[in-house]
Amino acid sequence: MAGFNRRQFIHALAGTALLAPLLARGNILAESKTMVRLGVTDLSFHHATGAVVTAVLQRMGFAVERSYALHEANFEQLRVGSIDMIASAWIPSSHGLYKTRVEEQVATRELGLHYAPYALWGVPDYIPVSEVDSVEDLLKPQVKAQMHKAIQGIGPGAGITRFSLRMMDDYGLAAAGYSFRTGTQEECVGAFEKLVQTQRWGVVPLWHPQFLHFRHRIRDLKDPKGLLGSVDRAVLLARADRLDHFTATQIQVLDNIRLSNAIVAELDYAINRDGKSADQAAILWLDKNPQMLASWLAPLG
């Protein structure tokens, strides 16, 4: 991780039960010239998982070079070989199409299970469920009268954006006066927080995991047409031809990485609201959860 050298790593783990076994494993802390080029989708919760993966790679002696791009561009970099792996790919719904394009060029391998993401349209829980329980309820005259009509999304390459654009047409929302616009993660989050601040009715296209869920109660709207896709697997997606740099044991360590929606939402909150960098959030979390890191590293002996 940028700006975090070996001496700082040892200092960060001082005082934990994990330090002694790590120091005993020279193969983990050994210097290595092997560079891993890790693509990270340029949204904060992806930064969080990317930082965790980076920390694990560095503990196995790899140097890590991270690059940041939005969804589709990241997969194109994987396809042409500019990067070796992506943290994290959402398979099969959100990023499945991009993965297929990569595999037209090169085989891939899924490693680990970072969390179980899914897209949603959500409303603040102060909106009565009796009034708004489903996307179809947005068409009720009494709901339309109160609902903020602008629906603020994120970038055009995101799965939630693709799903939402189809929902606007298939549910007749555009014809009913609603509008959908793409933007940044900050604009999407800000739209929800502004609704809460003013206690206004509105709907925001979101996803799990995301730091808003760590702070707010957000109710998922039912999607009778099933346009929001399934629950995905968030994985480390690697080019198979780049795994030659890894031993079978090291690949097993990467495959052992298991997080959760709640863990990533916590890390994302630390980044967005506690002022931590992604690396700081990851190191602090790993320091508080040494048993989880130890379980991932167990194949190294």
Side-chain angles (χ1 to χ4, degrees):
M1 59 195 69
F4 198 85
N5 60 32
R6 180 178 173 178
R7 183 182 298 275
Q8 290 170 314
F9 163 59
I10 295 173
H11 177 72
L13 287 175
T16 71
L18 187 60
L19 181 59
L22 281 180
L23 289 175
R25 297 176 186 144
N27 59 333
I28 298 176
L29 292 176
E31 296 294 338
S32 172
K33 295 182 180 180
T34 303
M35 174 69 71
V36 176
R37 294 174 298 175
L38 179 65
V40 181
T41 302
D42 200 11
L43 294 167
S44 61
F45 62 97
H46 283 294
H47 292 193
T49 52
V52 171
V53 171
T54 295
V56 173
L57 285 166
Q58 289 182 328
R59 281 154 177 73
M60 292 194 293
F62 292 94
V64 183
E65 178 183 273
R66 277 171 287 183
S67 62
Y68 301 90
L70 289 179
H71 309 76
E72 191 169 3
N74 234 352
F75 282 83
E76 177 61 17
Q77 291 185 41
L78 189 68
R79 188 185 72 82
V80 301
S82 299
I83 57 176
D84 305 317
M85 52 186 66
I86 289 176
S88 304
W90 291 15
I91 308 299
S93 294
S94 291
H95 300 159
L97 175 63
Y98 305 147
K99 178 175 182 271
T100 298
R101 291 174 184 166
V102 173
E103 290 176 337
E104 292 172 355
Q105 182 75 25
V106 64
T108 66
R109 181 167 174 182
E110 298 177 19
L111 296 169
L113 181 61
H114 299 165
Y115 47 91
Y118 63 91
L120 63 104
W121 273 23
V123 296
D125 70 343
Y126 54 75
I127 298 177
V129 67
S130 59
E131 290 289 335
V132 185
D133 186 42
S134 163
V135 175
E136 293 177 324
D137 290 335
L138 299 175
L139 301 174
K140 293 177 180 177
Q142 69 273 24
V143 172
K144 285 198 299 180
Q146 296 191 67
M147 192 69 64
H148 184 55
K149 298 299 191 305
I151 301 174
Q152 178 65 60
I154 55 173
I160 179 61
T161 300
R162 299 198 318 272
F163 303 152
S164 296
L165 288 169
R166 184 177 174 188
M167 291 171 72
M168 292 296 295
D169 291 331
D170 285 18
Y171 281 106
L173 296 169
Y178 292 90
S179 64
F180 180 88
R181 57 194 180 203
T182 59
T184 64
Q185 178 179 238
E186 290 74 19
E187 288 171 330
C188 179
V189 167
F192 181 84
E193 291 181 325
K194 187 173 181 180
L195 290 175
V196 173
Q197 289 167 3
T198 59
Q199 293 292 286
R200 190 172 184 181
W201 286 27
V203 59
V204 179
L206 292 172
W207 57 92
H208 278 284
Q210 211 273 349
F211 78 87
L212 284 173
H213 300 287
F214 189 73
R215 174 72 182 273
H216 299 283
R217 293 178 59 87
I218 304 170
R219 188 172 72 254
D220 298 9
L221 295 186
K222 294 174 182 174
D223 170 27
K225 297 180 184 290
L227 302 181
L228 285 169
S230 62
V231 177
D232 278 337
R233 304 183 308 277
V235 300
L236 182 65
L237 186 68
R239 287 178 59 111
D241 61 352
R242 301 296 170 79
L243 292 178
D244 293 341
H245 300 307
F246 295 82
T247 66
T249 299
Q250 290 168 334
I251 292 172
Q252 184 60 58
V253 169
L254 294 177
D255 199 36
N256 284 348
I257 298 176
R258 294 292 190 276
L259 297 168
S260 69
N261 289 358
I263 290 169
V264 176
E266 178 183 352
L267 292 169
D268 196 33
Y269 188 87
I271 295 168
N272 283 277
R273 291 295 180 266
D274 289 343
K276 306 297 183 185
S277 70
D279 290 329
Q280 288 170 336
I283 288 297
L284 288 170
W285 188 86
L286 290 169
D287 191 33
K288 290 190 301 182
N289 296 275
Q291 72 291 343
M292 185 166 288
L293 178 58
S295 71
W296 301 342
L297 298 173
L300 295 171

